[in-house]
Amino acid sequence: MAYTLYYSPGTASMAVHWALIELAVPFEAVRLDFDAADQRNPTYLRLNPAGRVPTLVIDGAPYSESAALLMLLAERHPQAGLAPAPGDPQRARWLETMVFLANTVSPAMRDWFYADKDGDPAGADAVRDLARSRIEGAWPRLAAALSDGRPFLFGDAPGAADYLAAMLMRWSRNMPHSADEQPELAAYLGRMGSLPSYADLCRREELVPWP
Ligand SMILES: N[C@@H](CCC(=O)N[C@@H](CS)C(=O)NCC(=O)O)C(=O)O
């Protein structure tokens, strides 16, 4: 089973990198330097025509979209328990959470960070305002999912939804209201941050741990 992850530190590739480390499977990690526009290099665009990370090459074929890649890794490594299995009572809520993170929080994050680049800079403030309200609305919803005292979103061990959620929460750290303002999320991020795989991820990507 051969994996190659194309990543850029601290970006949308981070959750997939984290899951690969946690899975302890062999993989090659190829770092792209956004300052050097590596993501728009013609060789990379052949793998990922959108010029974005992550790209995960699986047995020679490139795939993108962080949430899909996490779901795929969960499916390919069922013994790792990255997701509630089909038929598990938590499966429906897991699917709902993955799609909420991928469909609501992640695009809003893209708008928050890329409003000037993806659209008309003249309208960027309005785009950022809407993105911010969507992002800030997500944190209480995720905090509520943890309010029964569970350590991770789907049980006693972290999984695909946690890597995705913690990555998205990390991106809020310089926003007017960061995820860790919610006490449940501050405690949750503390648990995610104390995983050995997180320390390894931060070392490999040269990230300053947060919070
Ligand atoms: N929905 C995609 C978002 C990918 C994305 O927007 N990646 C950003 C980094 S967070 C990127 O590659 N940006 C480089 C660029 O747009 O030039 C995913 O979750 O994989």
Side-chain angles (χ1 to χ4, degrees):
M1 185 170 301
Y3 292 122
T4 303
L5 174 69
Y6 289 81
Y7 79 101
S8 183
T11 68
S13 44
M14 189 184 152
V16 180
H17 203 176
W18 196 347
L20 287 167
I21 293 168
E22 192 73 46
L23 283 169
V25 291
F27 69 94
E28 183 189 353
V30 180
R31 186 185 289 217
L32 300 189
D33 180 355
F34 281 2
D35 290 335
D38 284 351
Q39 76 274 29
R40 288 192 287 281
N41 176 305
T43 309
Y44 184 66
L45 290 175
R46 275 198 286 279
L47 295 175
N48 186 316
R52 295 183 185 180
V53 293
T55 299
L56 186 65
V57 179
I58 305 177
D59 299 332
Y63 301 94
S64 61
E65 292 299 333
S66 54
L69 296 173
L70 288 163
M71 295 167 96
L72 190 58
L73 288 173
E75 190 177 296
R76 286 169 64 90
H77 301 277
Q79 75 293 346
L82 290 183
D88 185 294
Q90 296 204 91
R91 179 74 176 185
R93 195 68 70 201
W94 178 77
L95 288 166
E96 178 189 72
T97 302
M98 291 300 286
V99 173
F100 171 66
L101 294 172
N103 208 28
T104 296
V105 190
S106 175
M109 283 290 185
R110 174 90 201 176
D111 287 347
W112 174 259
F113 287 109
Y114 287 88
D116 291 289
K117 179 173 172 284
D118 288 352
D120 181 353
D125 282 343
V127 171
R128 272 191 290 268
D129 283 350
L130 179 57
R132 180 181 156 188
S133 77
R134 290 199 169 124
I135 293 164
E136 289 176 358
W139 307 144
R141 177 171 164 168
L142 291 165
L146 294 160
S147 61
D148 63 1
R150 64 182 62 200
F152 300 104
L153 285 169
F154 291 94
D156 293 334
D162 297 295
Y163 304 127
L164 188 57
M167 176 185 81
L168 293 164
M169 289 177 199
R170 179 184 162 86
W171 294 347
S172 74
R173 67 194 183 283
N174 295 318
M175 292 184 67
H177 292 287
S178 54
D180 64 336
E181 286 182 14
Q182 310 282 323
E184 293 92 343
L185 298 187
Y188 170 73
L189 288 165
R191 286 189 290 279
M192 291 299 289
S194 65
L195 296 171
S197 55
Y198 185 66
D200 194 6
L201 174 72
C202 290
R203 184 186 57 74
R204 293 178 194 227
E205 296 203 357
E206 300 176 279
L207 301 175
V208 176
W210 177 86

